Amino acid sequence: MATAPDLDTPDEPVAASGASFVNIGERTNVTGSAAFKKLVMAGDYVRAVEVARAQVDNGAQVIDVNMDEGLLDAEFAMTTFLKLIAAEPDIARVPVMVDSSKWSVIEAGLKCVSGKPIVNSISMKEGEEAFLFYARKVMAYGAAVVVMAFDEVGQADTKERKIEICDRAYKLLMGIGFPPEDIIFDPNVFAVATGIDEHNNYGVDFIEATREIRKRCPHVHISGGLSNLSFSFRGNEPVRRAMHSIFLYHAIPAGMDMGIVNAGQLDVYDQIDPELREACEDVILNRDPGSTDRLITLAEKYRGTDAVAEKAAEEWRGWPVAKRLEHALVKGLDAFVVEDTEEARRLFPRPIEVIEGPLMDGMNVVGDLFGSGKMFLPQVVKSARVMKKAVAHLLPFIEAAKEVGARPKGRIVMATVKGDVHDIGKNIVGVVLACNGYDIIDLGVMVSWTKILEAANENDADMIGLSGLITPSLDEMVTVAAEMQRAGMTMPLLIGGATTSKVHTAIRISPVYTGPVVHVLDASRAVGVASTLMSDTQRDPFVEKTAAEYEAVRVARANKGQNELATLADARANAFVAAPDGKAPPVAKPGVHVFEDWDLADLRGYIDWTPFFRAWELAGNYPAILDDEIVGESARSLWADAQAMLDKIIAEKWLTAKGVAGLWPCRRDGDDVVVHATGRPETDTIAPGAAAVLAAAHVLPEHEVRLSMLRQQIKKREGRPNMCLADFIMPEGDWIGGFAVTAGHGIDERSAAFRAGHDDYSDIMLKALADRLAEAFAERLHAHVRSDLWGYAPGEQLTNEALVREQYRGIRPAPGYPACPDHSLKPALFDLLGATKATGITLTDSFAMLPTAAVSGFYFGHADSQYFGVARVGRDQLEDYAARRDVDLDTAERWLRPNLD
């Protein structure tokens, strides 16, 4: 591995040209690159190495490697990847930044780097003793280190705090003989032009602090993440490029000599539009109070506009009507669709011909673009909105003439199965299929097998599509398939949803139904599968091929040497031992706390936007996705629409956020947590800045609740424990918490209005935003618990990025997720919280929550608590679990089926 480049500090500040500036590439980071994460999660390290090679070829002088992913063995992934790139001369010529929030992962990586690595990062957030402990470790490995401007109080935001923390860290490091040229301070680049006055000086604070740190701390280096600066203008590439270029123009001479920067996304300072340059400079240098407003106004001039686009916008209205309709469909423009459809109706002998002619021609173009990867899901859903409005205008004319509607390519009955209430994915697939000429009979959510079969028969359906999100839905899909077989049906059965998989479809569903069964991965595959199944020539070969694939899956599964399971006794003997000194302190405000109306504007700042884009099948992490070469344009348009709707949701109070949190004494009893529900009234307050309305505390009668947890049973290599959530609770006495939140109250009325207006795009957008607000509420409430209600982190100051990366103490595992895979724990949690009375959230028979924009889970506060996956469990644990839960074996097997052999 190459050694680090000579970064010794020059006597004079580096030139504004940035000739001495070191660019750090971040694409080999699973938290920053969806493509890299997918390759590593799949174990495809050969292709993952090519990501590193591409970074180096594109000018990265250092590559940052991060493997922090909850379902990944980060130590194994880090060592495997570093060993592979060490053998590649093209990559090994640049140094590696070993990046992780866990020291064990960093140390594993350091052992694989033969040259001089860089550790990212250490800080004083846990105090001087821990800081110096890790600094000595870094020094022993001969590594350089990134030191974050972060201490026991929190992240440094002002010039004075940045200087104070870095100066203090420097003196501590000098005291142990740490080489100053191996220190890289990161004084935190924060967003400017946010509309909050306290943020206006963030750019100046960084630049001035950098200059002073270089004076006080000879020979150190200064780094920073540049993308944070322009966060307020995400989606507006010209403004972001200008801001980054201008910031570096001033920060490099002040002493910033490293950073995470895409060199290809920078402009030459002198070549930036003078008007834009002056406006950006006014903001970055905080030259006057009105600079933010001026830049926001000016920025609209640069948002996705150019001479060609402006000319096209003027010209398309003069095209022939068929061409205009096609353009409107492809671009998702509905402003003129009714008048253009009416014009087309007057040109055709029959109104049905408008649908069968120009409208279907336009949708065929949409389908072709989507199928070839040149158009993305949000655009397709917008196209559907245009199509539906056009058809709605024509329907009265068609009915008046008693015409038969346009013949569909096929008729599909779709439903979310009984017990499940989630329908965003199903709705998206339905829209995409409708865009491609299919007649969709959408039965909604929580649909029984009897209603599904009746609808298929009554509507002469060509196929049935089933959807489900929670694991109990898998059993219900098997029931539907079995009943289709008993009824003698032969039509294809399509299976989709987040919890489904090709393997489950092959092993559990396909064997109970002799008709074609096909797992559909996402909306982009649905059209191809449906079209093939409706084809006279392609159907039989496709069905035979799919059946053969599923048989191969079953054979492979039967012959697969699965990871060996330990006995339950051996797994318990290898339990995780939590350090006694990591136990969280007693709860400051025990009992149950109800929040009737949490401020949505407050929650907005806690949204993790990456899952929002994934819900629309746009791959990539936020905010980098907005600048992605492939999906960036679509992502920016979707982002702008989301922000506009979110503004209305908050201003017009479309939704109401209700939540409840409880904190109780408890103790560990084997793999169970015994909760002492001794709630008492509390006068509750929330963290500053959140305008939530507190209802009277909900007091539970004193009683005990036993929460039975599952333990990992897959045999581990030496030194790695078999984890169970109960391991984070002390047997002699401890504390545990729980919560349930929703941002879904009020959604049904708005959703119905959108559907009535043929606006699937807005309907899906609203549901996706409600889901994000619910998740944000869970994040926000957890922060409030840590800092106030429980109070074990009273001085916590974390950015939203740090919250998304879970860089805080404690976890909030949810029933139904990897560490706590049994959904059936929700009723016990809801009983402890009085959740339905407090929040209006109800549970279905399969433990799904209504409203669907809801989150619930437990709070663990031990310093060692962490997320993990229980994965496969054995028959011995199944029987033990049934006994602990006091249920029969069949019930326990139904609850745990996804985790059983």
Side-chain angles (χ1 to χ4, degrees), residues 444-458:
V445 301
M446 296 186 65
V447 187
S448 66
W449 66 263
T450 53
K451 187 174 180 181
I452 293 170
L453 270 60
E454 285 171 4
N457 289 326
E458 290 172 1

Side-chain angles (χ1 to χ4, degrees), residues 711-722:
R711 182 173 297 282
Q712 294 175 322
Q713 274 191 268
I714 291 175
K715 283 192 174 180
K716 302 295 188 77
R717 64 175 185 268
E718 188 175 353
R720 294 185 64 84
N722 291 85

Side-chain angles (χ1 to χ4, degrees), residues 81-316:
F81 185 71
L82 291 182
K83 288 175 183 177
L84 287 171
I85 62 174
E88 299 289 334
D90 292 347
I91 307 172
R93 61 187 175 86
V94 303
V96 168
M97 182 175 279
V98 184
D99 183 358
S100 179
S101 58
K102 297 179 181 177
W103 176 256
S104 61
V105 177
I106 289 176
E107 192 161 31
L110 293 176
K111 293 175 181 178
C112 301
V113 181
S114 58
K116 188 182 190 70
I118 303 170
V119 169
N120 188 7
S121 61
I122 64 173
S123 75
M124 295 188 293
K125 68 179 179 181
E126 295 178 359
E128 293 183 358
E129 185 178 347
F131 175 69
L132 290 175
F133 172 81
Y134 291 120
R136 289 188 177 97
K137 288 265 192 179
V138 172
M139 191 163 55
Y141 281 103
V145 67
V146 175
V147 178
M148 302 297 297
F150 200 135
D151 65 6
E152 301 89 339
V153 177
Q155 283 183 292
D157 51 359
T158 65
K159 169 189 172 182
E160 291 72 24
R161 286 270 295 147
K162 296 175 193 289
I163 295 169
E164 172 199 343
I165 293 174
C166 293
D167 186 44
R168 176 184 166 203
Y170 183 77
K171 289 173 180 175
L172 289 171
L173 292 173
M174 292 304 95
I176 63 171
F178 201 101
E181 64 274 11
D182 287 347
I183 301 171
I184 304 164
F185 282 121
D186 186 337
N188 305 320
V189 177
F190 290 131
V192 294
T194 63
I196 300 173
D197 290 344
E198 290 80 359
H199 299 175
N200 291 348
N201 214 50
Y202 279 166
V204 176
D205 283 328
F206 183 95
I207 294 167
E208 292 186 351
T210 294
R211 186 176 286 109
E212 184 63 24
I213 292 166
R214 293 292 289 258
K215 288 179 182 177
R216 294 194 186 192
C217 309
H219 306 295
V220 301
H221 310 287
I222 305 291
S223 181
L226 205 60
S227 63
N228 292 341
L229 179 82
S230 61
F231 188 76
S232 298
F233 295 93
R234 50 206 179 275
N236 194 328
E237 183 59 24
V239 173
R240 297 195 77 180
R241 290 169 65 109
M243 290 181 71
H244 297 168
S245 305
I246 292 164
F247 182 79
L248 287 180
Y249 181 82
H250 294 282
I252 290 174
M256 182 181 181
D257 54 357
M258 301 179 73
I260 298 171
V261 182
N262 185 341
Q265 296 295 312
L266 294 175
D267 297 321
V268 177
Y269 177 85
D270 291 333
Q271 295 178 4
I272 299 171
D273 181 336
E275 183 183 23
L276 178 60
R277 184 175 66 217
E278 181 179 6
C280 290
E281 210 154 35
D282 284 346
V283 165
I284 291 167
L285 301 181
N286 194 18
R287 292 201 285 219
D288 70 78
S291 58
T292 292
D293 290 338
R294 283 201 307 277
L295 181 56
I296 290 171
T297 301
L298 179 63
E300 291 306 308
K301 173 181 174 182
Y302 295 89
R303 188 185 293 277
T305 59
D306 55 47
V308 174
E310 290 174 0
K311 185 178 180 182
E314 296 171 357
E315 288 183 350
W316 80 278

Side-chain angles (χ1 to χ4, degrees), residues 603-620:
L603 299 183
R604 184 177 196 161
Y606 289 81
I607 292 177
D608 176 6
W609 286 102
T610 295
F612 169 80
F613 289 102
R614 290 178 182 166
W616 290 91
E617 297 185 7
L618 295 180

Side-chain angles (χ1 to χ4, degrees), residues 604 609 612 637-647 765 769:
R604 184 177 196 161
W609 286 102
F612 169 80
S637 176
L638 181 68
W639 167 258
D641 291 342
Q643 298 312 301
M645 181 175 284
L646 197 49
D647 288 341
M765 177 71 74
L769 289 174

